[in-house]
Amino acid sequence: RAINMVMDRCAIKEAVAAIREIEVGTWVIPNDPYGPAYREATLGQKPGYSCPTSAADIAPAKQLLADAGYPDGRGFPKVDMMVRDLNFFVAPMAPMIQAFMKQRLNIESDIRVVHTSVWQEDQAKGNYTIGINGNPATLPVAADYWKKWFMTGSGGNWNRGASHPEFDALLQQLAAESDPVKVQALVQRGAAILEEWSPMLALMHFTIIDAWPHYVKGHGRAHRQDLFNDNRFDTVWLDK
């Protein structure tokens, strides 16, 4: 949570703007029906969402570290930041995250750039502290996104032992609820839990729309679920 609070998301957005347009990251994706209202109440309003990062963000983050037994970052384990070599717009964020942690929390880190196959293997085993990647959602709604990445036993951070029983129970309610007013209340409650729990660094959002000519064969993109798991094109051919 402390690291989340000192990330200058607007600086990150500006740094990668020439490569890809992104939105500042929060716990509710922008095109969720309740995303705009949450973002309006969050960006520039809550600790960790100032642009640029301010003393009002850094001071409570330092206090969280001190309360956890790491005053001024002393004794905090060195962070192993694992980055995939193919993430052309994600990789540039690593040095910025490293700088924010060091300058604002005195947390040391190493950036480890690895091949996709190594990243996936180490990610599955939990051999990293921070693994920079994307968390895609099949549907642009909190119920789908949260269940896929933050529910106990799911993907995302489960390989690091992340688990929150209260959040799991909320997800079950959210999946079964159809009343818009009740759904909105559950999304607000779930976002509040995620803000406190912080199972990942929520840095950015973006939308990708796939398209390809009918004569491009072998890619399998019509049936894929994750953006970052189909970077190999050695089985693709042109049928023309």
Side-chain angles (χ1 to χ4, degrees):
R1 185 183 177 200
I3 294 173
N4 244 326
M5 291 171 68
V6 301
M7 293 292 108
D8 191 331
R9 291 164 174 80
C10 289
I12 291 174
K13 177 180 179 178
E14 183 178 346
V16 301
I19 306 172
R20 171 175 294 284
E21 280 294 323
I22 64 172
E23 295 293 334
V24 170
T26 66
W27 295 108
V28 182
I29 54 182
N31 41 356
D32 181 282
Y34 310 103
Y38 174 76
R39 292 172 69 79
E40 184 177 352
T42 300
L43 299 179
Q45 305 297 322
K46 298 178 182 178
Y49 290 97
S50 303
C51 286
T53 304
S54 69
D57 304 306
I58 298 172
K62 285 186 172 182
Q63 188 60 53
L64 284 171
L65 270 189
D67 293 344
Y70 305 106
D72 195 31
R74 293 192 298 274
F76 196 92
K78 180 176 282 191
V79 171
D80 170 29
M81 198 182 324
M82 184 172 63
V83 186
R84 291 176 65 170
D85 58 353
L86 290 177
N87 284 6
F88 58 93
F89 63 94
V90 176
M93 298 180 186
M96 301 185 73
I97 296 171
Q98 184 179 52
F100 295 149
M101 290 193 297
K102 175 59 180 175
Q103 295 167 5
R104 295 164 179 175
L105 297 176
N106 197 31
I107 292 177
E108 300 285 351
S109 62
D110 289 326
I111 296 174
R112 179 164 57 97
V113 180
V114 298
H115 187 269
T116 293
S117 60
V118 176
W119 195 100
Q120 292 175 333
E121 182 177 333
D122 277 5
Q123 191 269 348
K125 294 178 179 178
N127 294 337
Y128 65 96
T129 311
I130 295 175
I132 303 180
N133 202 28
N135 293 349
T138 307
L139 299 173
V141 294
D144 179 71
Y145 178 55
W146 290 351
K147 181 179 180 180
K148 185 172 183 180
W149 295 103
F150 307 130
M151 189 172 186
T152 300
S154 68
N157 288 294
W158 176 239
N159 48 38
R160 297 288 296 174
S163 178
H164 199 299
E166 182 185 353
F167 189 72
D168 290 347
L170 182 142
L171 285 178
Q172 292 179 348
Q173 295 177 41
L174 190 58
E177 188 55 68
S178 59
D179 181 271
V181 175
K182 293 180 179 179
V183 169
Q184 183 173 15
L186 288 169
V187 170
Q188 290 174 340
R189 224 176 88 210
I193 292 174
L194 289 170
E195 289 170 5
E196 182 77 21
W197 178 27
S198 291
M200 76 170 187
L201 299 180
L203 300 177
M204 64 172 183
H205 299 294
F206 59 89
T207 300
I208 290 180
I209 300 174
D210 274 345
W212 55 87
H214 64 85
Y215 54 78
V216 179
K217 307 293 185 179
H219 50 75
R221 293 173 78 86
H223 306 291
R224 73 189 176 98
Q225 295 182 348
D226 290 356
L227 163 68
F228 295 103
N229 291 335
D230 65 346
N231 286 314
R232 294 185 60 180
F233 290 91
D234 49 349
T235 60
V236 174
W237 72 93
L238 302 181
D239 185 13
K240 59 181 294 191

